Each structure stands twice: as structure tokens, then as C-alpha cells.
Amino acid sequence: MELINGVLFHATGASSAALCYTPQKKVIGWSWQTYWLAQAFICWLALPVIMAFITIPNLMMVLQEAPTSAMIKSFLLGMAYGIGGTAFGIAIRYVGFSLTYAIAVGISCVLGTLLPPLVNGTLGDVLKSNGAFFLITGIVMGAIGIALCGLAGRNKEKDIEKDTKNTSTFSLAKGLPLCLLAGILSALYGFSLDQGQPIADVAAKYGATNFQGNVIYIFSNSGAFVTTLLYCLYLHNKEKTFGQFFTAGSNSLVKNYFLSILTGLLWYGQFFFYGLGHVRMGNYKFTSWAIHMIMLVLFSAVLGLLMKEWKNCSAITMRLLILALIVLITAVLLLTYGNYLGGV
């Protein structure tokens, strides 16, 4: 039952992540860097600290006893994740949201899942254990499903360009290297949480139980915030947009800050529920990253259907999307069953 609860918590976190980009569509008078920095402050700096104080008993004692090396590793890997997120955003300009998702998230799904047991020297034991076949098959099918979803999304973008006669700025030569960089560095976030586990172990000793992972976010998320802050400050200086934090119009300014806070809450929600799911995954906790990423793409596609983003697409595009959703659901079921066998 704990395993099922873990998967459900991962599903809740993935749903929150899938929804987090929707408020951005309503932002008025702000450049990307203004909005992104405002929401990043909430989800990568403010909320991790606030939630750690709320959910981790004797937080200051935990931080004093936790290994400094674990804090540093988690922070630095979080910084790398922040660079990956920036590369992801830039790649979208050249190859579109869907293809960027397919390449970057696909790489992140596989690499971010297998990297912790590989570095920790336990991958060989995993491959010999109960459920290994279903786990590996689930990871591979997840990557295939993400790729299919990306191809369907690219077809959708082509259908829209054809209908609206928009001029495409598509450039695989510029976008592909950024997608690869985004995928590799984004995978390091799961590794950041793995390397921060000694901090969570100390929190568990003080009674944090299932909320123990919240203490790691202080370091992993603040690392991501630092690199995001530096890039956004560079853009603000280049484009002279610092004033937007104060001059979007009285009504729009309040609305923009509200939407940024809402985005930050939704974005942090994925981390919060990820932690609750992760501690319930039994012997194969490393699969949490794959389950989260697969569900994130799955729910993002479903959300697009509900918002009628696929309404005018061709029959071929829709069949490809349906196939992608079936493969993604199958991947989650395989990973769940593999985890079940590992606990028997």
C-alpha cells in the first residue's frame, strides 16, 4: 500500500508541475526574465526554507549535524540543474516546446534515474534483483513515450504554422545542442537529491519521517536559484528591464505578482509531493525520477487536450499523441510493478 501511495504522491507532484506554466499566459507587461525571477524566488528560495521550518523538527540542530559535504554537493548539483533549466528555455526558441521536451526530458528521465545507482555502485545489484526487467523496460518505454509525445507536439506545431501561415524560426543546429545540454544538466537534479540524502537522514533522526526530503531542497533549490538569478540579472541589464518590477501598471503589477506566486507554489508543489512519494518507493527509490518525469509529460499532454490545444490537429498527429499516452501509462505501470517485485 505504501508503494501505491508513493506513486499517487508522484502523480500529484507531476500534476502540479504540469499546471505551473499556465499562469504565465496571463502575465501582462513583463519580460520573461522579470516573471521567471519572481516565480523562481518563490519556488527555489522562499518556499524551501519556509516549508523546512514548518515540517522539519529542530531544523537548526539538523543543519548543524548534517554533513557539510552533502550540503555542498546538493547545492552545486542544484546550480547545474539551474543552468539546464535556462538552456531548456532558450532551446524552445529554436526547436519549439514539444521537441525540446522530447529530447531534454527524455535524456533527463533516463540519465537522472540511472545516475544515482551507477555512481553509488549499486546498479549491478539492481540489475540482478527482482523486478529489474520491469524497471529497465519501464524506463526505456518512458523515454520512447516522451519521444513520441514530442513528435506529436512537433506535428501539432507544424499544423498550427500551416493554418496560420506563420514563419517558423525552427533551427535544429542551434536548438539540438541546447536540448542535449538541458537534458544532461536537468538530470542532475535527481542526483542532487540523492547526494543530499545524508541531510535527510539526520532530519529523520529528529522525527521528520516522511517530510525528511524537505530539508534537502534548502540546498538543491537555492543552487538552482543562484544560476537562474545570474542569468536573469544579465538579461535585465542587457534589455534594461529592471523597472518592470515596479511599473507594469497598478492592476497588472498586482496581478503579475499574484501569478508569479501561484506559479512558484505550483512549481514547488512538485518537489513537496516528490519527497512524499520518494520515501515510499521501497528498495528502488532511484526510480522516483523516472516516474515523476514520465507522469509530468503524460499530464502535460492531457492538460493540453483539456485546454483544446490539439483541437485543429491532423488525424495523424492525434493518433501519434494517443500512442504516446498509451506508452507513457504502460511505462508507469511497469515501473510500479517492478518496484512491487523489489519489495517482495
Side-chain angles (χ1 to χ4, degrees):
M1 189 60 191
E2 277 291 272
L3 173 61
I4 299 300
N5 288 337
V7 174
L8 291 175
F9 276 122
H10 279 309
T12 304
S15 299
S16 183
L19 286 167
C20 74
Y21 290 110
T22 53
Q24 183 177 0
K25 299 176 182 178
K26 303 294 184 181
V27 172
I28 300 173
W30 272 9
S31 61
W32 175 87
Q33 58 265 27
T34 304
Y35 162 76
W36 198 251
L37 186 56
Q39 69 84 26
F41 174 80
I42 298 297
C43 72
W44 287 344
L45 193 63
L47 283 177
V49 174
I50 293 171
M51 293 306 296
F53 270 105
I54 292 173
T55 60
I56 306 296
N58 300 301
L59 177 61
M60 300 312 296
M61 293 294 293
V62 170
L63 296 178
Q64 288 175 18
E65 291 187 24
T68 303
S69 60
M71 298 178 185
I72 294 173
K73 289 177 183 177
S74 182
F75 179 81
L76 293 177
L77 289 166
M79 289 185 68
Y81 168 73
I83 296 173
T86 301
F88 184 94
I90 300 173
I92 292 174
R93 302 178 188 176
Y94 298 114
V95 295
F97 185 80
S98 299
L99 204 54
T100 303
Y101 235 60
I103 299 171
V105 177
I107 293 172
S108 180
C109 175
V110 176
L111 187 60
T113 303
L114 298 180
L115 189 60
L118 178 63
V119 173
N120 294 332
T122 59
L123 184 58
D125 295 333
V126 170
L127 295 176
K128 297 175 184 176
S129 57
N130 289 337
F133 171 79
F134 294 97
L135 294 176
I136 299 302
T137 304
I139 293 169
V140 172
M141 286 200 69
I144 293 172
I146 292 168
L148 289 172
C149 206
L151 289 174
R154 179 57 189 156
N155 282 357
K156 180 189 73 171
E157 290 165 359
K158 288 181 178 178
D159 292 339
I160 293 172
E161 289 169 5
K162 191 183 299 181
D163 289 341
T164 59
K165 297 181 181 179
N166 286 340
T167 302
S168 175
T169 58
F170 183 86
S171 174
L172 190 63
K174 294 179 180 178
L176 182 58
L178 289 167
C179 289
L180 297 175
L181 180 65
I184 293 170
L185 295 184
S186 295
L188 294 181
Y189 186 79
F191 191 42
S192 172
L193 301 183
D194 176 79
Q195 293 299 294
Q197 186 58 42
I199 313 171
D201 292 339
V202 177
K205 186 180 74 172
Y206 278 93
T209 61
N210 291 332
F211 294 106
Q212 60 184 264
N214 287 346
V215 72
I216 306 175
Y217 300 144
I218 296 176
F219 304 97
S220 59
N221 288 30
S222 61
F225 178 74
V226 168
T227 47
T228 301
L229 173 66
L230 292 174
Y231 182 64
C232 287
L233 289 178
Y234 163 76
L235 290 178
H236 275 301
N237 183 62
K238 179 183 177 182
E239 300 176 14
K240 310 301 180 186
T241 51
F242 283 107
Q244 291 179 352
F245 286 110
F246 313 101
T247 58
S250 57
N251 293 332
S252 297
L253 190 62
V254 173
K255 180 182 178 182
N256 287 354
Y257 275 113
F258 171 78
L259 292 171
S260 298
I261 292 171
L262 178 59
T263 300
L265 286 168
L266 289 170
W267 189 246
Y268 178 78
Q270 74 169 310
F271 303 130
F272 181 81
F273 290 106
Y274 180 95
L276 292 177
H278 183 69
V279 297
R280 291 173 166 85
M281 296 308 293
N283 296 329
Y284 299 143
K285 288 184 174 65
F286 72 94
T287 60
S288 287
W289 188 250
I291 292 172
H292 177 77
M293 299 303 285
I294 292 168
M295 285 186 166
L296 170 57
V297 175
L298 173 64
F299 292 140
S300 295
V302 172
L303 179 63
L305 285 171
L306 294 176
M307 295 178 67
K308 302 186 185 303
E309 293 178 357
W310 300 80
K311 184 174 61 174
N312 297 320
C313 293
S314 65
I316 294 176
T317 299
M318 293 307 300
R319 282 196 291 268
L320 190 58
L321 177 64
I322 292 170
L323 176 61
L325 296 180
I326 292 172
V327 173
L328 290 171
I329 293 171
T330 303
V332 172
L333 293 175
L334 287 169
L335 285 164
T336 303
Y337 187 59
N339 272 278
Y340 166 75
L341 291 178
V344 174

